[in-house]
Amino acid sequence: MFGTLKAFAFIAGTLSASVVLGAATASDGGVIITLPPRSKDVGIKKVPDAAHPYIAPGPNDQRGPCPALNTLANHGYIPRNGIASFEEILAGTREGFNMDRDLAGFLAGFSMMARGNAFLNKLSIGSVSPQIPVVPGAIDGPAPPGGIAKHDRFEGDVSMTRQDFNIGDDVHFQIDLFDEFLSAIEEFGDDNALHGPKSIVNMKVMQEFKFQRFQESQAADKTVSFHSSRIASSYNEAAFILTFFANGTDGLLSKQALTSIFQNQTFAPNWFRRSSPGTFDFIVDTAAEVLAPHPIQPGANVNGVYVLDPTDTSCNAAYSDFVLNNLPKGTSSANPGISGRCGG
């Protein structure tokens, strides 16, 4: 599946960046979005630096289901109010995590199109904000964009530390789910002289915990949705954690660093970002390794029974699902002839 998704990821990244960059012109009242040059940073860097201290979010600051973005906002690597532009997200993910421009461009571009206002170049990393009005022409409906916390598109089922939308809180950190993550580290993690026994998150931890979360959601959520694009994003999230949350000093992800970002939404003491930019290829390859021991086929629960999506070789199911079900107008009543699945 991930061989196909590597091609899908490249196309989707190109699509996201190109559509966002063409979203507006100054003459029509929109904000011109620019793609910055690719960073050539090498060598580890301590994060946070003195210019980016932790400040807890205020009552009107937006925070959402992504612990990395929440952490970047709490340290001011992206705006502390949680309303960010395309360029600010690329700059923040580069400075905080040394994420490659193309990978960050896809994530920011997709999020902006799916749950932001690309015309004004504004995205909430949380929920609806009065700073972000309805998209011009109401092409995504009459309500303002929901931010990345709104269910579907960016946020989806089978999260590691958020419940499924239909059975619980899908936005905020859930300590009981994180405790399951810690239990997986206790069972499968590596020992470390500095951090102690069973203190390092390795590939085995992620492989087993991710599959456990799928089994739990499938059993508890009678409407769980795990179609191609959500499988891709879910396992890419796991790869992101292994790749970007690890300390650049030794490449290891400690339980302390994991807890600091997930639970406290701040960087751990003496944490350094990775030395080289994390790329699309590296993320997709890592995601494929996480999925490999327990392959999951795209599908959804129907009355509590997991029903596989139909196989159709006439199109790329992941790309079709991504475009038709995760972007504005893909499921609009203005386009009743557009199917949400290949062959539909």
Side-chain angles (χ1 to χ4, degrees):
M1 178 178 178
F2 271 89
T4 301
L5 289 186
K6 184 174 287 189
F8 150 72
F10 173 77
I11 296 170
T14 304
L15 170 70
S16 294
S18 63
V19 172
V20 167
L21 293 175
T25 64
S27 62
D28 60 14
V31 176
I32 297 176
I33 299 174
T34 59
L35 187 67
R38 177 174 282 106
S39 172
K40 297 181 180 178
D41 281 358
V42 293
I44 62 175
K45 180 185 289 187
K46 192 176 189 305
V47 175
D49 57 23
H52 295 88
Y54 172 83
I55 300 176
N60 297 319
D61 293 333
Q62 294 287 342
R63 297 295 184 268
C66 178
L69 289 175
N70 293 342
T71 297
L72 291 174
N74 288 343
H75 284 277
Y77 283 101
I78 62 175
R80 293 183 184 271
N81 66 358
I83 307 298
S85 69
F86 178 84
E87 296 89 343
E88 287 168 337
I89 293 173
L90 265 65
T93 52
R94 182 188 69 244
E95 284 299 309
F97 293 108
N98 205 3
M99 184 183 292
D100 178 70
R101 182 198 66 177
D102 289 350
L103 174 59
F106 163 59
L107 295 173
F110 165 63
S111 302
M112 185 74 70
M113 288 192 294
R115 290 301 185 199
N117 188 321
F119 186 75
L120 296 179
N121 192 16
K122 289 185 177 183
L123 172 70
S124 168
I125 69 169
S127 301
V128 173
S129 166
Q131 298 185 44
I132 307 178
V134 176
V135 178
I139 63 171
D140 197 26
I148 66 171
K150 186 173 181 179
H151 182 59
D152 275 344
R153 299 186 183 175
F154 187 95
E155 184 281 323
D157 292 338
V158 196
S159 167
M160 283 184 277
T161 59
R162 274 69 174 169
Q163 287 287 2
D164 289 1
F165 174 76
N166 289 308
I167 61 173
D169 187 342
D170 62 329
V171 176
H172 302 100
F173 174 80
Q174 303 296 301
I175 187 64
D176 57 330
L177 296 180
F178 189 68
D179 284 344
E180 293 182 21
F181 202 162
L182 297 180
S183 295
I185 301 172
E186 287 291 327
E187 184 173 359
F188 302 110
D190 291 331
D191 299 337
N192 181 267
L194 177 62
H195 298 286
K198 301 295 184 180
S199 59
I200 301 298
V201 183
N202 57 23
M203 178 60 70
K204 179 68 171 175
V205 170
M206 197 64 77
Q207 289 169 337
E208 299 305 321
F209 179 59
K210 284 293 297 179
F211 186 58
Q212 176 183 330
R213 286 294 300 122
F214 169 74
Q215 290 177 309
E216 290 172 344
S217 287
Q218 197 278 325
D221 183 357
K222 294 184 181 299
T223 60
V224 68
S225 176
F226 215 44
H227 299 295
S228 296
S229 63
R230 178 54 190 158
I231 292 178
S233 63
S234 178
Y235 278 83
N236 285 339
E237 289 164 9
F240 182 99
I241 292 165
L242 290 171
T243 301
F244 291 107
F245 290 9
N247 199 321
T249 57
D250 54 16
L252 299 178
L253 173 55
S254 69
K255 185 163 55 176
Q256 178 192 29
L258 183 80
T259 301
S260 188
I261 293 178
F262 265 98
Q263 184 169 0
N264 303 325
Q265 300 183 134
T266 183
F267 294 101
N270 300 312
W271 190 88
F272 291 73
R273 72 176 201 190
R274 56 180 289 117
S275 60
S276 60
T279 64
F280 240 135
D281 282 349
F282 190 68
I283 288 294
V284 175
D285 288 344
T286 303
E289 189 175 353
V290 176
L291 179 64
H294 306 290
I296 299 171
Q297 295 302 311
N301 267 2
V302 178
N303 297 321
V305 177
Y306 194 69
V307 178
L308 300 183
D309 290 341
T311 301
D312 187 341
T313 58
S314 66
C315 68
N316 184 313
Y319 185 72
S320 172
D321 184 45
F322 170 80
V323 172
L324 298 182
N325 293 307
N326 293 285
L327 300 179
K329 296 185 74 174
T331 55
S332 169
S333 59
N335 293 278
I338 296 180
S339 169
R341 298 277 174 263
C342 286

